[in-house]
Short mmCIF file of all heavy atoms in Angstrom, two decimals:
data_model
loop_
_atom_site.label_atom_id
_atom_site.label_comp_id
_atom_site.label_asym_id
_atom_site.label_seq_id
_atom_site.Cartn_x
_atom_site.Cartn_y
_atom_site.Cartn_z
N LEU A 1 -17.46 23.19 -15.54
CA LEU A 1 -17.75 23.22 -16.98
C LEU A 1 -16.89 22.23 -17.77
O LEU A 1 -17.08 22.08 -18.98
CB LEU A 1 -17.55 24.64 -17.53
CG LEU A 1 -18.51 25.70 -16.98
CD1 LEU A 1 -18.06 27.09 -17.40
CD2 LEU A 1 -19.94 25.42 -17.47
N LYS A 2 -15.93 21.60 -17.09
CA LYS A 2 -15.01 20.64 -17.70
C LYS A 2 -14.28 21.24 -18.91
O LYS A 2 -14.18 20.65 -19.97
CB LYS A 2 -15.74 19.36 -18.09
CG LYS A 2 -16.34 18.63 -16.90
CD LYS A 2 -16.92 17.30 -17.30
CE LYS A 2 -17.63 16.60 -16.19
NZ LYS A 2 -16.90 16.24 -15.04
N VAL A 3 -13.74 22.43 -18.68
CA VAL A 3 -13.04 23.16 -19.73
C VAL A 3 -11.56 22.78 -19.74
O VAL A 3 -10.91 22.76 -18.70
CB VAL A 3 -13.17 24.69 -19.50
CG1 VAL A 3 -12.48 25.47 -20.59
CG2 VAL A 3 -14.63 25.09 -19.41
N ASN A 4 -11.02 22.48 -20.92
CA ASN A 4 -9.60 22.20 -21.14
C ASN A 4 -9.02 21.22 -20.12
O ASN A 4 -9.37 20.05 -20.16
CB ASN A 4 -8.80 23.50 -21.22
CG ASN A 4 -9.10 24.22 -22.52
OD1 ASN A 4 -9.16 23.62 -23.59
ND2 ASN A 4 -9.29 25.53 -22.46
N ILE A 5 -8.15 21.67 -19.22
CA ILE A 5 -7.52 20.77 -18.25
C ILE A 5 -8.57 19.92 -17.54
O ILE A 5 -8.39 18.73 -17.31
CB ILE A 5 -6.73 21.57 -17.19
CG1 ILE A 5 -5.53 22.27 -17.80
CG2 ILE A 5 -6.28 20.67 -16.03
CD1 ILE A 5 -4.91 23.32 -16.90
N TRP A 6 -9.67 20.54 -17.23
CA TRP A 6 -10.70 19.90 -16.41
C TRP A 6 -11.58 18.94 -17.20
O TRP A 6 -12.45 18.28 -16.63
CB TRP A 6 -11.53 20.96 -15.69
CG TRP A 6 -10.62 21.94 -15.01
CD1 TRP A 6 -10.52 23.28 -15.27
CD2 TRP A 6 -9.63 21.67 -14.02
NE1 TRP A 6 -9.54 23.84 -14.50
CE2 TRP A 6 -8.97 22.87 -13.73
CE3 TRP A 6 -9.23 20.50 -13.36
CZ2 TRP A 6 -7.95 22.95 -12.79
CZ3 TRP A 6 -8.21 20.59 -12.42
CH2 TRP A 6 -7.58 21.80 -12.15
N SER A 7 -11.31 18.81 -18.50
CA SER A 7 -12.02 17.80 -19.30
C SER A 7 -11.36 16.43 -19.10
O SER A 7 -11.94 15.41 -19.46
CB SER A 7 -12.01 18.18 -20.79
OG SER A 7 -10.68 18.14 -21.30
N GLN A 8 -10.17 16.42 -18.53
CA GLN A 8 -9.45 15.17 -18.28
C GLN A 8 -9.98 14.49 -17.02
O GLN A 8 -10.45 15.17 -16.09
CB GLN A 8 -7.97 15.45 -18.09
CG GLN A 8 -7.30 16.02 -19.32
CD GLN A 8 -5.85 16.28 -19.06
OE1 GLN A 8 -5.47 16.86 -18.05
NE2 GLN A 8 -5.01 15.82 -19.98
N LYS A 9 -9.88 13.18 -17.01
CA LYS A 9 -10.37 12.42 -15.86
C LYS A 9 -9.59 12.73 -14.58
O LYS A 9 -10.17 12.99 -13.54
CB LYS A 9 -10.31 10.92 -16.16
CG LYS A 9 -10.97 10.07 -15.12
CD LYS A 9 -11.02 8.61 -15.52
CE LYS A 9 -11.69 7.80 -14.42
NZ LYS A 9 -11.83 6.40 -14.78
N SER A 10 -8.28 12.71 -14.67
CA SER A 10 -7.43 12.97 -13.49
C SER A 10 -6.24 13.86 -13.86
O SER A 10 -5.11 13.38 -13.96
CB SER A 10 -6.91 11.64 -12.91
OG SER A 10 -7.96 10.82 -12.53
N PRO A 11 -6.48 15.16 -14.06
CA PRO A 11 -5.36 16.03 -14.41
C PRO A 11 -4.33 16.11 -13.28
O PRO A 11 -4.69 16.04 -12.10
CB PRO A 11 -6.02 17.39 -14.64
CG PRO A 11 -7.29 17.33 -13.88
CD PRO A 11 -7.72 15.90 -13.87
N ILE A 12 -3.08 16.20 -13.67
CA ILE A 12 -2.00 16.27 -12.68
C ILE A 12 -1.58 17.72 -12.53
O ILE A 12 -1.23 18.39 -13.51
CB ILE A 12 -0.80 15.41 -13.12
CG1 ILE A 12 -1.23 13.94 -13.23
CG2 ILE A 12 0.37 15.56 -12.16
CD1 ILE A 12 -0.22 13.05 -13.91
N ALA A 13 -1.62 18.21 -11.30
CA ALA A 13 -1.21 19.59 -11.02
C ALA A 13 0.25 19.78 -11.39
O ALA A 13 1.06 18.87 -11.19
CB ALA A 13 -1.43 19.91 -9.54
N PRO A 14 0.61 20.93 -11.92
CA PRO A 14 2.00 21.16 -12.33
C PRO A 14 3.01 20.95 -11.21
O PRO A 14 4.10 20.44 -11.45
CB PRO A 14 2.00 22.62 -12.80
CG PRO A 14 0.59 22.93 -13.09
CD PRO A 14 -0.24 22.07 -12.21
N TRP A 15 2.66 21.35 -9.99
CA TRP A 15 3.60 21.18 -8.87
C TRP A 15 3.83 19.70 -8.58
O TRP A 15 4.94 19.33 -8.23
CB TRP A 15 3.16 21.95 -7.63
CG TRP A 15 1.75 21.72 -7.20
CD1 TRP A 15 1.28 20.72 -6.38
CD2 TRP A 15 0.61 22.49 -7.57
NE1 TRP A 15 -0.07 20.84 -6.22
CE2 TRP A 15 -0.52 21.93 -6.93
CE3 TRP A 15 0.43 23.62 -8.36
CZ2 TRP A 15 -1.81 22.43 -7.07
CZ3 TRP A 15 -0.86 24.13 -8.50
CH2 TRP A 15 -1.95 23.55 -7.86
N ASP A 16 2.82 18.85 -8.77
CA ASP A 16 3.00 17.40 -8.59
C ASP A 16 3.83 16.82 -9.74
O ASP A 16 4.67 15.95 -9.53
CB ASP A 16 1.65 16.69 -8.51
CG ASP A 16 0.90 17.02 -7.23
OD1 ASP A 16 1.55 17.36 -6.22
OD2 ASP A 16 -0.35 16.96 -7.25
N TYR A 17 3.59 17.32 -10.94
CA TYR A 17 4.35 16.88 -12.12
C TYR A 17 5.83 17.22 -11.95
O TYR A 17 6.70 16.38 -12.19
CB TYR A 17 3.77 17.56 -13.36
CG TYR A 17 4.45 17.21 -14.65
CD1 TYR A 17 4.10 16.06 -15.35
CD2 TYR A 17 5.43 18.03 -15.20
CE1 TYR A 17 4.72 15.73 -16.56
CE2 TYR A 17 6.05 17.72 -16.40
CZ TYR A 17 5.68 16.56 -17.07
OH TYR A 17 6.31 16.25 -18.26
N ARG A 18 6.12 18.45 -11.50
CA ARG A 18 7.52 18.85 -11.29
C ARG A 18 8.18 17.99 -10.22
O ARG A 18 9.32 17.55 -10.37
CB ARG A 18 7.59 20.34 -10.89
CG ARG A 18 7.35 21.30 -12.03
CD ARG A 18 7.66 22.72 -11.63
NE ARG A 18 6.80 23.22 -10.57
CZ ARG A 18 5.64 23.86 -10.76
NH1 ARG A 18 5.18 24.07 -11.97
NH2 ARG A 18 4.94 24.29 -9.73
N LYS A 19 7.45 17.76 -9.14
CA LYS A 19 7.98 16.95 -8.04
C LYS A 19 8.33 15.54 -8.51
O LYS A 19 9.40 15.01 -8.21
CB LYS A 19 6.94 16.90 -6.92
CG LYS A 19 7.45 16.41 -5.60
CD LYS A 19 6.31 16.53 -4.58
CE LYS A 19 6.79 16.27 -3.19
NZ LYS A 19 5.70 16.40 -2.20
N ALA A 20 7.43 14.93 -9.27
CA ALA A 20 7.67 13.57 -9.79
C ALA A 20 8.86 13.55 -10.75
O ALA A 20 9.68 12.63 -10.70
CB ALA A 20 6.41 13.05 -10.49
N ASN A 21 8.97 14.55 -11.61
CA ASN A 21 10.09 14.60 -12.56
C ASN A 21 11.41 14.88 -11.88
O ASN A 21 12.45 14.39 -12.32
CB ASN A 21 9.82 15.63 -13.66
CG ASN A 21 8.88 15.07 -14.70
OD1 ASN A 21 8.62 13.86 -14.76
ND2 ASN A 21 8.34 15.93 -15.54
N ASN A 22 11.40 15.67 -10.81
CA ASN A 22 12.63 15.94 -10.07
C ASN A 22 13.14 14.67 -9.39
O ASN A 22 14.34 14.45 -9.29
CB ASN A 22 12.44 17.06 -9.05
CG ASN A 22 12.39 18.40 -9.73
OD1 ASN A 22 12.85 18.58 -10.84
ND2 ASN A 22 11.80 19.38 -9.04
N LYS A 23 12.24 13.84 -8.90
CA LYS A 23 12.64 12.56 -8.27
C LYS A 23 13.25 11.62 -9.29
O LYS A 23 14.19 10.91 -9.00
CB LYS A 23 11.42 11.89 -7.60
CG LYS A 23 11.04 12.56 -6.30
CD LYS A 23 9.87 11.84 -5.66
CE LYS A 23 9.46 12.53 -4.38
NZ LYS A 23 8.28 11.91 -3.77
N LYS A 24 12.71 11.62 -10.52
CA LYS A 24 13.25 10.76 -11.58
C LYS A 24 14.67 11.14 -11.96
O LYS A 24 15.47 10.29 -12.32
CB LYS A 24 12.35 10.84 -12.83
CG LYS A 24 11.03 10.15 -12.67
CD LYS A 24 10.20 10.31 -13.93
CE LYS A 24 8.81 9.77 -13.76
NZ LYS A 24 7.97 10.03 -14.94
N LYS A 25 14.97 12.44 -11.89
CA LYS A 25 16.30 12.94 -12.29
C LYS A 25 17.39 12.59 -11.28
O LYS A 25 18.55 12.57 -11.59
CB LYS A 25 16.26 14.46 -12.47
CG LYS A 25 15.46 14.88 -13.68
CD LYS A 25 15.39 16.39 -13.77
CE LYS A 25 14.49 16.81 -14.93
NZ LYS A 25 14.31 18.27 -14.98
#
């Protein structure tokens, strides 16, 4: 239905977001 998060072309899963931010730190 492309609701909220799924209306985005390439949403980033929270676990991937956390992983990427932890590497930056």
Side-chain angles (χ1 to χ4, degrees):
L1 295 170
K2 298 186 185 299
V3 181
N4 289 317
I5 293 167
W6 311 118
S7 66
Q8 297 180 312
K9 187 174 180 177
S10 300
I12 298 169
W15 51 87
D16 291 333
Y17 180 84
R18 286 190 296 269
K19 195 175 189 179
N21 281 346
N22 285 339
K23 284 182 182 177
K24 288 178 186 176
K25 290 177 185 175

